[in-house]
Amino acid sequence: MKKTLISNGHIIDPANGLNRVGDIYLADGKVERIDLEGTARQHDEGLEIIDATGLIVAPGLIDLHVHLREPGQSAKETIATGTKAAAAGGFTSVVCMPNTSPTIDQPSVVTWVLEKAKAEAVINVFPSGAITKGIAGEELAPIGSMKKAGIVALTDDGHCIQNPEVMRRALEYARMFNLTVMDHCQDYALVGKGVMHEGYWSTVLGLPGWPAMGEELIVSRNGQLAELTGTPIHCQHLSSGGSVRILREARSRGIPLSGEICPHHIALTDESIRGYNTNFKMNPPLRTQRDIDLLIEGVADGTITVLASDHAPHCNYEKEVEFDQAPFGILGFETELGLFLDILVHKKKAIGLPRLIEMFSVEPARLLGLDRGTLSVGAPADVTLINPDLEWTVDKEQSFSRSRNTPFHGWELKGRAVRTIVSGKTVWAL
Ligand SMILES: [Zn+2]
């Protein structure tokens, strides 16, 4: 039996309200014991000892919004390379999006992803399934049989069901199978061919605008549908300050509506697009400083409960085209924790370290009913060691991803993961 002692680290386990220095023992892929006194330190033969002095010992981080690109788009990313990049960012579990080729919209594709992950992934991969066949927004996918095959959530991410009646039926089905629906909020009529935030800079640059209202209208609709059906709806990658206000109001009335933000939406504004660099093109788009302030306020007051990357790798040749032609999205795994620590904890002081860890562990686990996100005795031994004060420089050439599309190359950040442990085994260390 393999045993590991992570000694003398600062353990932060929000699920158990734990926030102090101690030793943690892992055995047989599970958390065996936590010793806060350090008095009965074991020295069994074959015990692997990891010195965590000065480090944060957190439950393995969860990213519930990632694109691993398999099946079908392995030139951008594979389950093997994507999960390596995730491990290097401190993540032990990811929820992958179904907009692959073929779409994850039937049980056979779910099984394919799970088997591929079993063979090649270095961390846990939880697939989500499409709400509608081919993510076309028209006909419901076989939700029950996909759940049986192992999906943990439903989403048409990358697309948005426009017909509220189809969405209502999807929510009613999802409820029967106890599945959360995650939504990419975009009203097609309002957004049209928009490629960047509609405002001053889209006018200056002569690019078609993607108005904030294109997101807000769907967040608002989702609040009403979540209230009607009782099915939880999670609004993905919120970019607009107005969305936060709508979400706050819905939550104050007890409606099961939640939201996440991604680091780029609080690290960058639409002004970054001045040079027409396609690494600043994402969907929803970068918005204004006012939006950033309101998103951060939403994190601080608990309106936004989840942090995620929307890791979206693309090949160089796909991004090296005119701005309107380029695909949306950027890499996320290896810069995500550093950006959120740097902005939310160090610079803005919007939240403390325990809440940041909670938003990466307990919150996503609870939202999707995952058996993860805690260091409780008997839980899977997924652990992330973090040095919250380590200063480092982002170097895209060091990335484990197959792609290189990041706007953060050369950025200096404070804080990062230094070791990632999955089921008791170190899968990455700095
Ligand atoms: Zn999306």
Side-chain angles (χ1 to χ4, degrees), residues 65 67 97 99 155-159 183-186 236-237 260 283-284 310:
H65 188 164
H67 298 271
M97 297 296 106
N99 60 336
T155 175
D156 269 7
D157 183 47
H159 294 265
D183 197 23
H184 166 122
C185 303
Q186 177 176 351
Q236 299 177 288
H237 47 43
E260 80 196 17
N283 186 7
D310 191 11

Side-chain angles (χ1 to χ4, degrees), residues 131-149:
I131 309 171
T132 61
K133 287 184 184 166
I135 311 194
E138 287 159 10
E139 206 184 326
L140 293 190
I143 292 170
S145 52
M146 284 196 296
K147 162 98 185 193
K148 233 184 231 162

Side-chain angles (χ1 to χ4, degrees), residues 401-422:
S401 170
R402 274 203 107 160
S403 292
R404 290 291 176 267
N405 53 313
T406 174
F408 300 115
H409 180 65
W411 278 44
E412 286 171 14
L413 300 176
K414 190 173 172 185
R416 70 179 294 178
V418 295
R419 184 186 288 261
T420 307
I421 299 168
V422 178

Side-chain angles (χ1 to χ4, degrees), residues 64 203 307:
L64 56 58
T203 309
L307 303 173

Side-chain angles (χ1 to χ4, degrees), residues 110-121:
V110 177
T111 304
W112 187 90
V113 169
L114 285 170
E115 276 175 8
K116 185 93 167 158
K118 203 170 162 196
E120 295 176 12

Side-chain angles (χ1 to χ4, degrees), residues 164-301:
E165 200 277 325
V166 174
M167 187 66 169
R168 177 186 175 175
R169 266 191 292 123
L171 291 163
E172 282 163 353
Y173 267 99
R175 187 150 191 234
M176 297 196 304
F177 298 102
N178 208 12
L179 284 165
T180 294
V181 170
M182 309 199 288
D183 197 23
H184 166 122
C185 303
Q186 177 176 351
D187 183 282
Y188 290 172
L190 278 168
V191 172
K193 293 187 176 355
V195 295
M196 70 173 290
H197 174 64
E198 179 184 285
Y200 175 82
W201 284 106
S202 65
T203 309
V204 169
L205 300 172
L207 290 168
W210 196 132
M213 194 189 169
E215 174 179 289
E216 293 156 7
L217 205 65
I218 298 293
V219 174
S220 188
R221 172 200 78 174
N222 287 347
Q224 289 178 280
L225 286 171
E227 182 172 22
L228 178 73
T229 60
T231 307
I233 306 181
H234 178 69
C235 299
Q236 299 177 288
H237 47 43
L238 292 177
S239 65
S240 147
S243 298
V244 178
R245 184 174 44 75
I246 297 162
L247 183 59
R248 182 180 292 121
E249 193 268 342
R251 290 173 67 81
S252 76
R253 293 198 293 117
I255 295 171
L257 191 70
S258 59
E260 80 196 17
I261 59 162
C262 303
H264 40 276
H265 288 125
I266 58 166
L268 299 163
T269 67
D270 56 344
E271 188 181 346
S272 333
I273 296 164
R274 263 198 315 199
Y276 296 96
N277 182 337
T278 57
N279 280 331
F280 294 91
K281 181 175 177 183
M282 36 280 244
N283 186 7
L286 301 174
R287 300 204 187 271
T288 66
Q289 187 57 48
R290 177 76 186 136
D291 291 292
I292 291 179
D293 295 344
L294 293 170
L295 290 172
I296 293 177
E297 204 180 293
V299 170
D301 75 3

